[in-house]
Structures are given as structure tokens and as C-alpha cells.
Amino acid sequence: MTATSAQPAIPATMRAAVLHGPEKLKLEERPVPTPGPGEVLIRVEAVGTCGSDVHYYRHGRIGDFVVRAPLVLGHEAAGTVVACGPGVDPRRTGRRVAIEPGTPCGTCGECRAGRYNLCPGMRFLATPPVDGAFCAYLAVHQDFAHDVPDSLTIEDAALLEPLSVAVWACRKARVAPGDRVLITGAGPIGLIAARTARAFGAREVLVTDVVPHRLELARAASATALDVSRTPLPEAGYTPTVLLECSGVPTVTGEAIRTVGRAGRVVLIGMGGDEIPLPLSRVQNHELELTGTFRYAHTWPTAIALVASGAVRLDSLVSHRYGLAEAEHALTVATKDATAVKAVIHPQR
């Protein structure tokens, strides 16, 4: 988290990749924001592309969140503080930071209870109408710009956001030494969840998917990989104490819940349909605990420590890198390359 003595001059305008509707992304010139009270201005240096970014790009909406005006995508971001607003310690200038993309109101009942991820007034990057980080500069509240140690790369810092999803899910599931964990779906979140569950002490982690390349990555994360196109999950004979459901596929969710052992914990992470068939008899007769997750709260210190200690590695997840002018390629690469896992945009290129 070393601060550098000389910073490049801040320009008056910047480039931003702006979504104007489904599959209508344009590179535009916009004013560089001025940090307000309590805010820092960050030169954005790495932004991961998330499934939500891809969904907004393709469909212009996710559920009730509709892109009604031009929107800048991207919420997995990191960079360097280049200016401080009123009330911010100027010594933060030059610090490398990971951006926590949600800014809660801080005064509602959920915020006061510590559940700020459930704040009804949350302003979350790249969620309409709040612009995100596919741009060269971004102003955020100082409390949500987390200093990162020099041992983390700038891409590591950006990917602390999906790692936070996994940390929150493992906390909700109370993953502990001795647990047998089942993770359905070897996408970026599933792969990070596998590493995180191991870091939390799980003695066994089984990851299911149908894509060979992603199953190989699961094995590299010290997990057992199961290709369910060859061996259906019910035939695998695996009885987990914890299920982290990352696929979002209703049929997969129901099938996986049926494998969970007595007094097991089920955490739903993947965003799928509005309704799923729930094997209620399994839930009741085995006294399963079932909960959803919505983003995260108070996870960045843990996420930073996991990466800094080497307990969780994120670098192998980055499969593609692009400049800001190639943002559209980053959002569509998964449809063209079966080895795509996580595309990262470098806005300064």
C-alpha cells in the first residue's frame, strides 16, 4: 500500500464504455469526476467483468433493474488514489486500493444492524442508475476504497469483489474445519468459492460442472471435480455438510439439496429463476438450513488477508485481458472461447 511521490496530472476528461441499450456499447468522452466530501478519486487500473455486466449488455436489465439511461458497467475494480475530497486525509493520495462497489445510506435499520448489504438505499456501481467502473477515473467514498498491500497485483485487488461474494457465502454457511462442501457450478464464483472453502478449513470440496476446462481449474483449486454430464450428482455418492449453489439453475439446485446430509447448510449464491422446485421433505426431515446471499458486508479485510497470505490465489482465474476500447470483446468472449473464465479490462490502456 505504498504511496508514490509523483502522480500523473489528472485530465479534464476521460474515456468511458457506456451502454445505451442491449448490445449497444459506445466509447465516449466524459468529464473526470471531482471527489466530494469524504470521497477519493481513483485512477481505475483493472476491472473484472461479471455475469451481471454481461446480462445488462445482452438484455438491458436484470429483473427490476432496467437500463433506462446510458449506463457505465463494471463493479469489480481497483486502482490508485489520485485526489482526495474535503475531509479525507491527503496522505491517501498514491495508495493502491480495491473498490467495494456499494455505498449504503449508513442510517437505516439494516445499516445500523451491520447488514449494510441489505440497505434499501444502497448505491451500487453498474446497477441502474449508478454508473460503474468501465472508465478511467471514479470517485468513491473513502470508506469503500480499501488499501491493499504491495504483495497484491492490481488484478488481485479488482478480484477481491468476487472473492468477497465467496467469503460472505462461506460465513453464511459457517464453513469450518471438517466440513464436506459441495459447490455446484465452476464459473468464477464457484471456483473462488472452492478456494475460499478450503481456506476456511473444509476437509473436502467437490465442484460440479460440465465444462472440462473449468473442471480442471477446480482441480487446481484443490477440489475434486465431477463432470455431471458423465456422472449425475445423485450417483456420485457424495453427502456434503454444506452446499454452496453457484449455478443458478433451478433443476441443479433441487438435485443438489437432495444430497445434503442431516443438519446441513445450504447457501444459494447463483442468480437463476425467480422460483425453484424445493425438495421440502429433504429440508424438513434432515433439518437443513437454507438461506440466500445478497452481495456481502464487512468482507474486504478478510479477502485481502486471504490473498496476501497465499491462502487464496486469484491470478489463475484471469483468462483474458483487454483495454477499455475492447470492452465489448470482454463482455462477449465467453460466447466465443470455451476457455474463458474471467476477462479483465485495463482502462488506462
Side-chain angles (χ1 to χ4, degrees):
M1 59 181 73
T2 303
T4 56
S5 57
Q7 293 294 321
I10 302 171
T13 62
M14 65 176 182
R15 298 182 307 162
V18 185
L19 184 69
H20 287 262
E23 300 187 351
K24 294 180 181 178
L25 196 71
K26 299 179 181 179
L27 196 64
E28 298 180 359
E29 201 74 13
R30 288 191 167 191
V32 170
T34 300
E39 291 186 334
V40 292
L41 180 67
I42 298 168
R43 183 176 66 242
V44 182
E45 293 161 358
V47 191
T49 56
C50 175
S52 64
D53 297 317
V54 175
H55 204 279
Y56 278 126
Y57 170 76
R58 289 179 179 168
H59 306 288
R61 66 183 300 157
I62 297 178
D64 295 334
F65 296 103
V66 182
V67 180
R68 303 185 188 279
L71 180 73
V72 179
L73 296 174
H75 63 267
E76 301 176 0
T80 302
V81 175
V82 294
C84 298
V88 179
D89 186 343
R91 290 176 295 181
R92 293 207 69 186
T93 301
R95 296 290 180 91
R96 298 165 67 249
V97 296
I99 297 171
E100 184 172 352
T103 304
C105 74
T107 60
C108 70
E110 299 299 335
C111 286
R112 291 197 301 271
R115 299 185 294 264
Y116 65 80
N117 58 312
L118 300 180
C119 171
M122 175 72 77
R123 291 179 56 81
F124 199 88
L125 296 184
T127 298
V130 182
D131 282 331
F134 284 2
C135 56
Y137 293 87
L138 187 67
V140 303
H141 193 281
Q142 63 174 334
D143 291 347
F144 297 96
H146 300 272
D147 292 352
V148 296
D150 294 337
S151 59
L152 271 65
T153 69
I154 202 65
E155 290 183 344
D156 285 337
L159 297 186
L160 292 174
E161 196 279 338
L163 175 54
S164 281
V165 174
V167 168
W168 187 243
C170 284
R171 285 181 181 172
K172 296 278 282 186
R174 303 191 307 281
V175 175
D179 272 322
R180 306 179 79 220
V181 178
L182 169 62
I183 296 173
T184 44
I189 295 298
L191 293 169
I192 294 175
R195 296 175 185 270
T196 306
R198 278 294 195 190
F200 273 53
R203 68 182 173 96
E204 292 180 41
V205 177
L206 176 69
V207 179
T208 67
D209 207 289
V210 296
V211 180
H213 177 68
R214 296 195 174 193
L215 291 169
E216 282 300 318
L217 290 174
R219 294 185 185 97
S222 299
T224 301
L226 178 68
D227 185 341
V228 289
S229 68
R230 296 172 176 266
T231 305
L233 180 59
E235 298 177 12
Y238 191 74
T239 304
T241 55
V242 171
L243 165 62
L244 302 179
E245 207 301 299
C246 299
S247 75
V249 179
T251 54
V252 171
T253 303
E255 185 177 74
I257 290 173
R258 289 184 177 90
T259 70
V260 180
R262 299 179 189 279
R265 289 93 68 195
V266 176
V267 178
L268 306 180
I269 306 166
M271 300 287 285
D274 290 338
E275 297 181 359
I276 63 170
L278 182 66
L280 190 57
S281 62
R282 183 78 177 196
V283 173
Q284 290 183 317
N285 295 342
H286 284 64
E287 290 197 351
L288 304 185
E289 298 178 35
L290 188 150
T291 185
T293 56
F294 188 64
R295 297 169 181 160
Y296 31 67
H298 312 290
T299 54
W300 254 256
T302 298
I304 291 169
L306 287 173
V307 179
S309 68
V312 172
R313 288 190 57 187
L314 299 172
D315 54 343
S316 63
L317 297 173
V318 180
S319 57
H320 294 75
R321 296 173 174 86
Y322 299 94
L324 189 60
E326 303 168 298
E328 199 157 12
H329 294 295
L331 292 167
T332 59
V333 65
T335 65
K336 305 169 184 175
D337 186 345
T339 67
V341 178
K342 175 68 68 174
V344 173
I345 293 173
H346 290 264
Q348 303 302 320
R349 294 182 184 174

